[in-house]
């Protein structure tokens, strides 16, 4: 710690250069934080989905399944609770403002909580009392300024019995979407009245959710469910919710590779840049370093001092960059409707990378200093 | 000496000194190469998508969709609407006098990616009989086309190349029944190659659909568009949008290209900021090292202006090899590869236009990196600099 002032002076020897190098590191780690944070944030959200949650879908694509399957599903041993959902996709006021309504039975949803959404019991009661009722997620209600009591019309492509494509609902309350919900903006409507009013796919649901009593037996229960409906016209494919979402995100394709390529390129360029700056700095300070050597500092100690300088600069700048990225990341939801927060693992990985960068950078210019050469100004 | 000769002399002096400063020059080159490489590679996704979308667009094809629809799946037209569209004026007729108009119903089916066996969705279009006459660029390259009323489909080039089980003779399970792949087709590199095609009525009844998505018509000539569109718009019973094929392609790819371009420019800008800081750093240290040299030059009569310009030019010129290196790396790694963002297949092509954009980006970085040090170099007092060590 007695070398602290030496290290500090070393960093700020050329103030402009220190600031510029620091800013470079900061910018690089903002990018690292945003890209890696987005990717890891999504992975983390998927992990938060309970291991006991399974999704039952039609085996061959996006076909609806009969509601009659529900009673057979609940009777399968190992199933703790089950729920069903149908979807109504529409637009509100403008063709670009998309809204998704999820039609379900309130009691079974409360027992299964497939989206981790917290619905207050008062709201559940209100939904049961109002056939055309709708519960809106808090963020969605804020987005369009909806309040309880509002009438919300949706333009859809689903034809109603009365011949219209417009579905109108009465807002009876709000709910808080679960932490693991990647897309937290949706509304909940009553399945019974939705099914009665539509002309297509009547008596069917889009998917079933199942909570198993023991996650370790999950695979066995899933297979039992699929066996139940094998060779019928409604064969099912039951998989854990985590796997299902990963398959959906698969459509984001090679983004993984792209992110890694970008981060790699950025860090590579940064490495080069900082190494060059350090070499320049050491070359300029040859006389000073040689003086320190005559005073008794060993080569090793000098290397440590140089290393600490680079380390401090890199880690502080990286920390600031990662902090900025953490602050900016949640705003991504405005563009992509994906809700992520910066995982701590990414911040730690970033700091680790910064330290590694510093070590590699410092190792290059560190070479034996000949006292005579140095004092002679060579 | 005139200004230009001064600048030329100064430039020659500083450029000849680069071998001594190889390290720092290399830093700028590499930093800029990384920025340009990444920017060009990412932008090639957006431009690739745009290229596919307009690849086969013809001035004599028009698309009718339901009013306000911004995407394929959002558009729904009833059978009565289809009948009205097909009887509109301006549509070319085939040898039997039937209008060359084709509608389709779009559904999604499950397929598996060849590269990692992960389940991924593919689009299946159920098309009406006139489809192949309206889209003559579609060619059967293997097997035969599907027969109406049967569970048969054909797979486009981009699908059977990237996804499992879509060769001639393979079967895929759709809605509880096996459908046979009876043929493969190509479509001159256009977006149709990313689809599976089957008979409209068969698909509609299998999926319980009562509406079709859009109608495409082949007009007698491009000049007939106004007559065709006018007739449909004048009809009060219809709620449709009529667009040139190129307009419709732009509409449905707008969101995806928008996202891809936004990400590309965002990342490119952040990296450019980093590279500019690096360039600034390098140029400041170069100026610093050459303080005595610059002071000497000023003492012997070189004007402040030419010195500023020569430093700026040096910075800008240093950025050029970086840009070319970055473009070369992007070309070597990405040209010809196919990526799959959002379920579409985009073959990447590093076009001359992209390379030029990369060079401009690099020149701007060189400019930003050079201007402040250039101004500083001219401001230092001569006597102070001559005394500097």
């Amino acid at each position: 710690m007695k070398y602290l002032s030496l290290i500090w002076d070393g960093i700020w020897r050329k103030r402009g250069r220190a600031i510029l190098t620091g800013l470079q590191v900061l910018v690089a780690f903002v990018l690292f934080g945003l890209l890696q944070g987005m990717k890891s944030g999504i992975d983390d959200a998927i992990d938060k989905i309970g291991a006991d949650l399974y999704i039952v879908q039609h085996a061959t694509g996006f076909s609806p399944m009969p509601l009659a399957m529900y009673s057979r599903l609940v009777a399968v041993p190992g199933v703790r609770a089950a729920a069903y959902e149908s979807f109504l996709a529409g637009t509100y006021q403008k063709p670009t403002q998309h809204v998704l309504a999820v039609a379900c039975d309130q009691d079974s949803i409360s027992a299964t909580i497939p989206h981790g959404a917290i619905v207050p019991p008062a709201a559940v009661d209100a939904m049961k009392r109002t056939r055309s009722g709708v519960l809106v997620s808090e963020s969605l209600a804020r987005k369009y300024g909806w309040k309880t009591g509002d009438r919300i019309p949706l333009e859809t492509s689903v034809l109603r019995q009365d011949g219209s494509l417009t579905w109108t609902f009465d807002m009876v309350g709000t709910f808080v979407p679960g932490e693991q919900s990647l897309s937290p903006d949706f509304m909940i409507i009553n399945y019974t009245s939705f099914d009665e009013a539509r002309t297509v796919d009547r008596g069917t649901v889009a998917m079933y959710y199942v909570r198993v009593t023991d996650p370790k037996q999950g695979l066995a229960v899933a297979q039992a469910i699929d066996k139940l409906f094998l060779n019928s016209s409604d064969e099912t494919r039951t998989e854990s919710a985590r796997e299902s979402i990963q398959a959906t995100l698969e459509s984001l394709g090679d983004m993984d590779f792209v992110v890694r390529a970008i981060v790699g390129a950025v860090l590579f360029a940064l490495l080069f840049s900082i190494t060059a700056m350090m070499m320049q700095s050491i070359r300029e300070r040859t006389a000073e370093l040689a003086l320190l050597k005559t005073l008794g500092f060993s080569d090793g100690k000098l290397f440590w001092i140089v290393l600490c300088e680079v380390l401090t600069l890199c880690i502080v700048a990286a920390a600031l960059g990662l902090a900025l990225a953490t602050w900016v990341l949640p705003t991504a939801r405005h563009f992509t409707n994906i809700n992520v927060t910066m995982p701590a693992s990414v911040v730690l990985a970033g700091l680790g990378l910064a330290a590694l960068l510093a070590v590699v950078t410092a190792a290059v210019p560190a070479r034996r200093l000949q006292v005579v050469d140095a004092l002679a100004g060579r | 000496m005139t200004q230009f000769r001064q600048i030329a002399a100064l430039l020659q002096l500083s450029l000849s000194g680069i071998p001594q400063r190889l390290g720092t020059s290399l830093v700028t080159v590499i930093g800029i190469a990384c920025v340009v490489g990444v920017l060009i590679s990412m932008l090639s996704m957006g431009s690739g998508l745009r290229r596919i979308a307009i690849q086969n667009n013809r001035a004599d094809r028009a698309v009718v969709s339901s009013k306000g629809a911004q995407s394929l799946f959002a558009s729904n037209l009833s059978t009565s609407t289809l009948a009205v569209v097909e009887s509109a004026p301006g549509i070319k007729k085939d040898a039997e006098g039937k209008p060359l108009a084709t509608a389709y119903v779009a559904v999604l089916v499950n397929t598996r990616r060849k590269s990692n066996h992960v389940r991924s969705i593919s689009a299946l279009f159920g098309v009406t009989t006139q489809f192949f006459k309206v889209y003559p660029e579609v060619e059967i390259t293997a097997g035969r086309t599907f027969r109406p009323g049967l569970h048969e489909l054909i797979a486009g080039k981009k699908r059977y190349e990237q996804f499992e089980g879509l060769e001639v003779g393979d079967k895929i399970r759709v809605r509880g029944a096996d459908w046979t792949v009876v043929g493969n087709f190509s479509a001159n590199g256009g977006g149709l190659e990313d689809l599976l095609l089957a008979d409209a009525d068969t698909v509609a009844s299998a999926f319980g659909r009562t509406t079709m998505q859009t109608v495409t018509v082949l007009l007698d000539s491009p000049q007939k568009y106004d007559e065709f569109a006018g007739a449909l718009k004048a009809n009060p019973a219809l709620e449709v949008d009529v667009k040139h094929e190129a307009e419709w392609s732009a509409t449905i790819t707008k969101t995806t290209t928008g996202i891809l371009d936004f990400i590309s420019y965002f990342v490119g800008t952040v990296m450019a900021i980093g590279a500019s800081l690096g360039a600034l750093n390098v140029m400041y240290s170069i100026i610093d090292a050459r303080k005595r040299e610059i002071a000497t030059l000023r003492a012997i009569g070189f004007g402040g202006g030419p010195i500023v310009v020569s430093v700026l030019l040096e910075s800008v010129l240093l950025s050029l090899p970086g840009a070319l290196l970055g473009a070369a790396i992007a070309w070597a790694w990405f040209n010809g590869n196919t990526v799959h963002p959002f379920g579409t297949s985009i073959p990447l092509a590093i076009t001359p236009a992209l390379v030029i954009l990369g060079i401009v980006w690099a020149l701007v970085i060189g400019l930003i990196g050079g201007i402040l040090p250039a101004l500083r170099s001219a401001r230092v007092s001569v006597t102070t600099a001559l005394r500097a060590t």
Side-chain angles (χ1 to χ4, degrees):
Chain A
M1 286 306 108
K2 50 195 167 185
Y3 305 128
L4 217 54
S5 62
L6 259 176
I7 296 171
W8 191 250
D9 282 340
I11 295 177
W12 291 107
R13 195 173 174 277
K14 281 258 166 70
R15 213 184 54 191
R17 185 160 62 203
I19 292 182
L20 281 175
T21 311
L23 279 176
Q24 261 190 286
V25 174
L26 189 143
V27 166
F29 278 89
V30 165
L31 200 58
F32 170 83
L34 285 177
L35 291 174
Q36 198 63 38
M38 184 67 112
K39 183 180 168 314
S40 298
I42 292 180
D43 287 343
D44 275 4
I46 293 180
D47 279 341
K48 284 212 190 82
I49 297 173
D52 63 341
L53 184 63
Y54 279 76
I55 296 185
V56 183
Q57 286 175 295
H58 202 281
T60 63
F62 304 84
S63 322
M65 298 168 282
L67 182 56
M69 286 165 72
Y70 180 66
S71 46
R72 296 177 72 190
L73 261 182
V74 182
V76 171
V79 170
R80 180 168 61 81
Y84 49 85
E85 278 181 358
S86 253
F87 301 110
L88 179 65
T91 56
Y92 172 69
Q93 284 182 346
K94 286 198 277 237
T96 46
Q97 295 183 162
H98 296 282
V99 179
L100 181 67
V102 173
C104 56
D105 166 66
Q106 305 311 317
D107 284 330
S108 57
I109 284 288
S110 300
T112 329
I113 321 177
H115 308 289
I118 303 167
V119 186
V124 175
D125 285 335
M127 279 295 280
K128 288 202 216 166
R129 273 178 284 128
T130 323
R131 286 168 52 87
S132 59
V134 63
L135 290 173
V136 183
S137 75
E138 281 188 344
S139 40
L140 188 61
R142 254 196 315 255
K143 187 172 175 188
Y144 294 119
W146 291 334
K147 292 176 303 300
T148 306
D150 283 350
R151 299 212 78 198
I152 301 170
L154 279 189
E155 292 299 317
T156 72
S157 54
V158 178
L159 197 62
R160 291 166 53 95
Q161 298 277 1
D162 60 18
S164 138
L165 288 172
T166 314
W167 293 73
T168 314
F169 302 99
D170 300 297
M171 182 166 162
V172 299
T174 61
F175 65 90
V176 179
E179 261 188 354
Q180 70 266 39
S181 188
L182 280 176
S183 297
D185 288 347
F186 62 97
M187 359 194 275
I188 297 177
I189 59 178
N190 281 318
Y191 175 82
T192 332
S193 49
F194 170 66
D195 191 48
E196 274 171 9
R198 60 180 171 173
T199 54
V200 290
D201 290 339
R202 300 194 68 195
T204 66
V205 299
M207 54 208 292
Y208 285 100
Y209 291 98
V210 165
R211 289 266 181 198
V212 298
T213 10
D214 180 9
K216 288 199 261 297
Q217 301 298 323
L219 190 57
V221 177
Q223 285 168 343
I225 293 176
D226 288 340
K227 193 146 169 260
L228 200 57
F229 300 103
L230 196 64
N231 295 326
S232 72
S233 61
D234 299 296
E235 282 178 23
T236 56
R237 185 187 59 243
T238 310
E239 57 186 356
S240 75
R242 285 185 191 164
E243 262 184 64
S244 182
I245 296 199
Q246 267 159 351
T248 317
L249 287 178
E250 215 283 312
S251 69
L252 285 178
D254 326 81
M255 283 304 151
D256 207 27
F257 169 72
V258 170
V259 167
R260 265 184 239 187
I262 296 175
V263 170
V266 168
L267 290 175
F268 180 71
L270 194 63
L271 181 69
F272 241 87
S273 184
I274 301 184
T275 308
M277 285 302 121
M278 280 317 292
M279 287 177 76
Q280 182 95 346
S281 163
I282 297 219
R283 226 178 296 137
E284 286 167 6
R285 292 153 63 185
T286 317
E288 292 169 23
L289 293 170
L291 200 64
L292 288 173
K293 254 197 113 168
T294 59
L295 291 175
F297 282 74
S298 64
D299 272 343
K301 274 224 182 84
L302 287 177
F303 172 72
W304 272 110
I305 292 180
V306 168
L307 178 62
C308 282
E309 282 177 26
V310 189
L311 206 61
T312 314
L313 189 65
C314 282
I315 292 198
V316 170
L320 285 173
L322 290 167
L324 195 59
T326 308
W327 184 63
V328 171
L329 195 61
T331 59
R333 85 175 358 227
H334 291 290
F335 301 106
T336 54
N337 201 33
I338 293 181
N339 187 31
V340 283
T341 48
M342 177 75 79
S345 59
V346 172
V347 176
L348 286 174
L351 291 175
L353 263 174
L356 188 63
L357 190 71
V359 169
V360 173
T361 308
V364 174
R367 44 185 156 74
R368 300 262 176 89
L369 284 170
Q370 293 288 49
V371 175
V372 170
D373 281 338
L375 286 175
R378 283 197 272 273
Chain B
M1 254 179 149
T2 66
Q3 303 273 12
F4 284 124
R5 286 184 68 184
Q6 284 186 39
I7 294 174
L10 287 167
L11 207 54
Q12 191 183 28
L13 195 65
S14 49
L15 288 179
S16 63
I18 284 184
Q20 291 160 359
R21 305 190 297 268
L22 205 55
T24 44
S25 310
L26 213 60
V27 163
T28 317
V29 168
I30 291 192
I32 291 185
C34 287
V35 178
V36 170
V38 168
L39 182 72
I40 290 182
S41 312
M42 295 196 75
L43 282 178
S44 70
M45 285 197 282
S47 79
L49 188 58
R50 259 187 288 262
R51 206 170 357 98
I52 295 174
I54 64 171
Q55 177 78 358
N56 296 321
N57 282 351
R58 295 164 58 138
D60 59 351
R61 272 206 292 245
V63 177
V64 181
S65 57
S66 55
K67 208 165 186 56
Q70 299 289 311
S71 73
L72 287 172
F73 289 90
S75 172
N76 283 285
L77 302 171
S78 64
T79 21
S80 53
T81 310
L82 294 175
V84 174
V85 172
E86 286 189 6
S87 60
I91 303 181
K92 197 169 177 164
K93 308 275 189 292
D94 65 7
E96 290 119 42
K98 289 206 290 261
L100 289 179
T102 182
Y104 64 85
V105 54
V107 298
L108 298 172
V109 296
N110 273 318
T111 45
R112 252 173 220 288
R113 213 28 97 82
K114 270 186 191 166
S115 54
N116 53 14
H117 300 290
V118 177
R119 193 171 50 83
S120 191
I121 50 180
S122 292
L124 169 64
F125 278 23
V127 298
T128 57
T129 42
Q130 300 286 63
F131 177 79
F132 293 95
K133 295 200 185 126
V134 177
Y135 290 103
E137 64 263 29
V138 175
E139 276 178 19
I140 304 286
T141 52
R144 56 170 176 82
T145 184
F146 51 83
R147 281 173 303 200
L150 296 176
H151 286 172
E152 297 182 343
L153 59 96
I154 54 177
K157 190 156 180 281
K158 293 213 186 78
R159 284 288 131 174
Y160 68 74
E161 278 178 351
Q162 317 273 349
F163 294 84
E164 295 172 3
L166 295 174
E167 309 283 341
V168 180
D170 287 334
K171 293 192 204 296
I172 63 171
R173 213 149 165 81
V174 179
R175 284 264 186 160
D178 278 335
W179 287 51
T180 317
V181 182
V182 296
N184 290 150
F185 69 92
S186 72
N188 198 28
L192 289 173
E193 285 183 355
D194 221 355
L195 301 172
L196 307 172
L197 299 175
D199 171 53
D201 287 331
T202 321
V203 172
S205 66
F207 283 78
R209 296 286 198 91
T210 50
T211 60
M212 310 279 269
Q213 262 61 70
T214 70
V215 187
T216 308
V217 302
L218 194 60
L219 300 165
D220 278 323
S221 71
Q223 288 71 33
K224 288 283 186 178
Y225 174 80
D226 291 325
E227 192 188 336
F228 171 72
L232 290 177
K233 290 207 185 114
N235 188 330
L238 291 182
E239 293 270 311
V240 294
D241 281 336
V242 186
K243 293 195 170 94
H244 292 280
E245 191 183 16
E247 267 182 85
W248 176 247
S249 301
T251 309
I252 55 177
T253 50
K254 198 161 57 158
T255 324
T256 314
T257 50
I259 293 178
L260 288 174
D261 282 346
F262 172 75
I263 297 178
S264 309
Y265 280 114
F266 178 74
V267 171
T269 306
V270 174
M271 288 185 79
I273 293 176
S276 300
L277 289 167
L280 259 177
N281 221 354
V282 165
M283 289 311 295
Y284 268 131
S285 62
I286 290 179
I287 298 295
D288 224 31
R290 294 165 56 198
K291 238 198 305 212
R292 289 180 84 183
E293 184 187 314
I294 295 176
T296 312
L297 289 168
R298 285 184 63 200
I300 64 176
F302 278 88
I307 289 184
V308 169
V309 173
S310 77
V311 170
L312 202 55
L313 275 178
E314 185 183 342
S315 177
V316 168
L317 283 175
L318 265 183
S319 61
L320 272 175
L324 294 172
L325 181 63
I329 293 180
W331 188 87
W333 272 17
F334 293 106
N335 201 36
N337 279 0
T338 312
V339 291
H340 307 275
F342 314 116
T344 56
S345 309
I346 306 178
L348 300 178
I350 310 291
T351 61
L354 282 176
V355 174
I356 292 178
L357 180 64
I359 292 179
V360 170
W361 209 256
L363 291 177
V364 169
I365 294 175
L367 206 71
I368 296 176
I371 195 142
L372 289 177
L375 291 173
R376 168 189 281 201
S377 71
R379 269 190 291 121
V380 173
S381 120
V382 173
T383 44
T384 316
L386 282 174
R387 276 194 223 112
T389 45

